[in-house]
Amino acid sequence: MPRKLYKDRLIKISVFNDITSDERVLEFFDPAISEDEPAVVVSNIDTAWSGAQLSTNPRISGVPVDFLAWVLQTAQGMTRQ
């Protein structure tokens, strides 16, 4: 599972293709929010990035906006690889 540095912590990123929906999925695990569940999921990623969708974990009361901006920038960069 890749990890990328955000501020002072390593964010785990799970990358997989969902065979039931034919979507590429990136799950972002922030240890400051939850070790066991992704805080944010970016899915439905196509090569043009226009169909991407962002979901936050409903069991988390909130996700900082600067973290969301970092997630989107990171996910977009990972889809271009």
Side-chain angles (χ1 to χ4, degrees):
M1 186 177 303
R3 296 172 189 261
K4 294 200 180 268
L5 189 63
Y6 167 73
K7 294 192 176 181
D8 61 342
R9 54 196 189 265
L10 282 175
I11 306 301
K12 293 187 293 184
I13 305 170
S14 172
V15 181
F16 61 94
N17 292 318
D18 184 343
I19 60 171
T20 62
S21 61
D22 196 31
E23 293 180 346
R24 185 162 185 211
V25 178
L26 285 77
E27 297 178 324
F28 291 80
F29 295 80
D30 183 347
I33 298 173
S34 174
E35 288 278 345
D36 302 321
E37 297 182 281
V40 178
V41 176
V42 179
S43 62
N44 198 28
I45 303 165
D46 62 18
T47 56
W49 188 248
S50 61
Q53 296 182 356
L54 182 132
S55 302
T56 58
N57 188 328
R59 289 185 281 280
I60 297 171
S61 62
V63 178
V65 171
D66 63 335
F67 181 66
L68 291 176
W70 179 85
V71 163
L72 290 173
Q73 181 180 25
T74 302
Q76 189 173 22
M78 292 177 73
T79 60
R80 290 183 178 157
Q81 296 176 356

